[in-house]
Amino acid sequence: MALLITAKCINCDMCEPECPNQAIALGEAIYEIDPARCTECVGHYETPTCQSVCPIDNAIISDPQRAESRDALWEKFVQLHPY
């Protein structure tokens, strides 16, 4: 599933440059993740880098509205990064 940045976000700017899919951008109040571009780093890393660099616990969570299998995340990666 795509990830979601919660209201716990402090706009520290750590996550945006770490996203290999350019799925994170500053929204009106906090950073937001574009679910069409988020692959949870499948195809790039073992775990989502945004979660690993975020200094606030549970500020970036799995989006319960966007359940996706690992295969679906892989397909999204292939579409975003055709080699």
Side-chain angles (χ1 to χ4, degrees):
M1 56 182 64
L3 298 174
L4 173 70
I5 298 176
T6 69
K8 291 182 178 184
C9 177
I10 60 170
N11 293 330
C12 69
D13 302 319
M14 295 293 293
C15 60
E16 188 269 335
E18 294 298 324
C19 180
N21 297 315
Q22 299 176 329
I24 300 175
L26 186 58
E28 286 187 33
I30 61 173
Y31 278 91
E32 298 175 350
I33 296 176
D34 179 352
R37 298 193 65 83
C38 179
T39 65
E40 293 187 32
C41 291
V42 167
H44 294 284
Y45 306 111
E46 292 295 316
T47 60
T49 58
C50 60
Q51 286 179 324
S52 65
V53 300
C54 182
I56 307 300
D57 289 338
N58 298 314
I60 304 174
I61 61 171
S62 294
D63 186 345
Q65 302 297 316
R66 304 203 184 274
E68 295 176 284
S69 69
R70 188 158 178 85
D71 288 340
L73 293 170
W74 176 257
E75 289 300 320
K76 193 186 311 183
F77 165 77
V78 170
Q79 290 177 344
L80 290 170
H81 303 280
Y83 292 106

